[in-house]
Amino acid sequence: MRGLVSFCVGGVFGMGLLLSGMTNTKKVQGWLDLTGAWDPTLAFVMGGAILPMAIAWQLSRQKATPRFGDAFPQRPDPDITSSLAIGSILFGIGWGLSGLCPGPAMASLGFGGGSSWIFFVAMAFAMSLQPYVTNAVTKVIQ
Amino acid sequence: MPLDWIWGLVGGLLIGTAAAAYLLLNGKIMGASGLLSGVLDRSTQGKSRIEALFFLSGLVGVPFIWHLVVGAPDTHLISNTAVLIIAGLCVGFGTRLANGCTSGHGVCGISRLSVRGIIATAIYVSAGVLCVYVGRHLLGLI
């Protein structure tokens, strides 16, 4: 059952990204382009997505467990770490350069052609490498 | 063009509904970068890894089937391989270091009023805006 839910959630998420225009890199870069021909679409997407999710967080407080699970996710450690800041800066640079973040990058794999796959392979490679690089850098600093 | 924001809102509601269902049914946070790395990382518990794989199948598969039936939506992906690789590396490394992307920190974090999610989003959006400004208006690269 959890597998089926995961598949459906992935599918609805992918269709939401596609229909909202977030697999169109021009619209994403257009939203980031404050001094150019600004495209407001992404703000509507974010607003539309946050609303049901805010309700879901409220509902989760009234329930002991999720329908098919043991526990709701814990609140993460609230510390604002340098990892959070540096990671988000790097992510923002890549996002601005390409107009792609991880969700739309994957949702467009089926129709985005070679460019889509080149980006995806580079992204997946960096994700796999990140823990080792971070460990090595931490050792050098200490 | 005038309908773009309506599609943005519709797609956003779908994204938020998917995230809400994932939380209330499976007790999981719908973060695209986290779920992808859950598949890539060999140390992920077997069950979680299979669920993440189901999620990715839906995320890639359903828009793929949609494009076969309705036609491929515009992606306007850049074709410069070097830029795609650099952007992919930044997005992959950055989202893992920061432990989240637009869906995890953005949609799921902001809706929970998570300080980490809000700060991460403010940072990657600012970096994205700056990147588009420099890349498009100063250097004319993107």
Side-chain angles (χ1 to χ4, degrees):
Chain A
M1 202 58 211
R2 287 176 63 97
L4 181 67
V5 170
S6 299
F7 178 83
C8 294
V9 164
V12 174
F13 178 38
M15 283 312 299
L17 290 168
L18 187 154
L19 292 176
S20 62
M22 293 300 99
T23 53
N24 182 350
T25 58
K26 203 173 160 185
K27 293 194 77 65
V28 175
Q29 285 180 325
W31 186 73
L32 293 170
D33 191 5
L34 292 182
T35 59
W38 189 62
D39 184 329
T41 311
L42 196 146
F44 287 94
V45 182
M46 240 334 167
I50 286 171
L51 186 70
M53 194 53 191
I55 298 170
W57 282 119
Q58 288 299 324
L59 288 174
S60 76
R61 282 185 202 160
Q62 295 158 20
K63 295 178 179 220
T65 60
R67 182 76 179 79
F68 306 115
D70 305 325
F72 286 109
Q74 300 253 317
R75 259 190 183 275
D77 202 340
D79 288 352
I80 307 305
T81 55
S82 55
S83 299
L84 185 83
I86 298 167
S88 296
I89 290 171
L90 283 171
F91 166 39
I93 292 171
W95 192 35
L97 275 178
S98 60
L100 287 169
C101 54
M106 291 189 278
S108 58
L109 280 177
F111 54 86
S115 292
S116 188
W117 282 93
I118 292 169
F119 179 91
F120 175 75
V121 170
M123 176 175 80
F125 175 73
M127 280 183 171
S128 308
L129 217 63
Q130 182 271 326
Y132 305 104
V133 176
T134 306
N135 269 343
V137 172
T138 314
K139 269 183 194 161
V140 170
I141 293 171
Q142 281 168 352
Chain B
M1 261 317 205
L3 284 175
D4 279 11
W5 69 270
I6 299 179
W7 280 113
L9 199 58
V10 170
L13 286 168
L14 283 176
I15 295 166
T17 306
Y22 215 29
L23 177 72
L24 295 173
L25 298 175
N26 284 15
K28 301 266 267 185
I29 288 178
M30 191 192 77
S33 57
L35 286 157
L36 173 59
S37 78
V39 172
L40 297 171
D41 186 354
R42 289 197 194 134
S43 65
T44 312
Q45 225 191 334
K47 255 183 159 177
S48 298
R49 205 171 174 192
I50 291 167
E51 274 178 44
L53 199 59
F54 271 107
F55 172 85
L56 297 189
S57 312
L59 175 57
V60 178
V62 174
F64 171 72
I65 293 165
W66 171 272
H67 110 279
L68 292 179
V69 179
V70 181
D74 288 335
T75 57
H76 293 284
L77 277 161
I78 45 168
S79 49
N80 185 324
T81 307
V83 177
L84 280 169
I85 291 174
I86 292 167
L89 292 173
C90 286
V91 171
F93 192 89
T95 52
R96 285 327 299 145
L97 187 62
N99 207 18
C101 58
T102 334
S103 45
H105 280 316
V107 176
C108 298
I110 294 176
S111 60
R112 193 186 204 182
L113 297 177
S114 150
V115 176
R116 268 175 67 85
I118 292 167
I119 290 189
T121 304
I123 294 175
Y124 66 69
V125 168
S126 306
V129 166
L130 199 65
C131 179
V132 169
Y133 180 73
V134 173
R136 180 169 288 175
H137 299 291
L138 298 185
L139 304 173
L141 286 173
I142 51 175

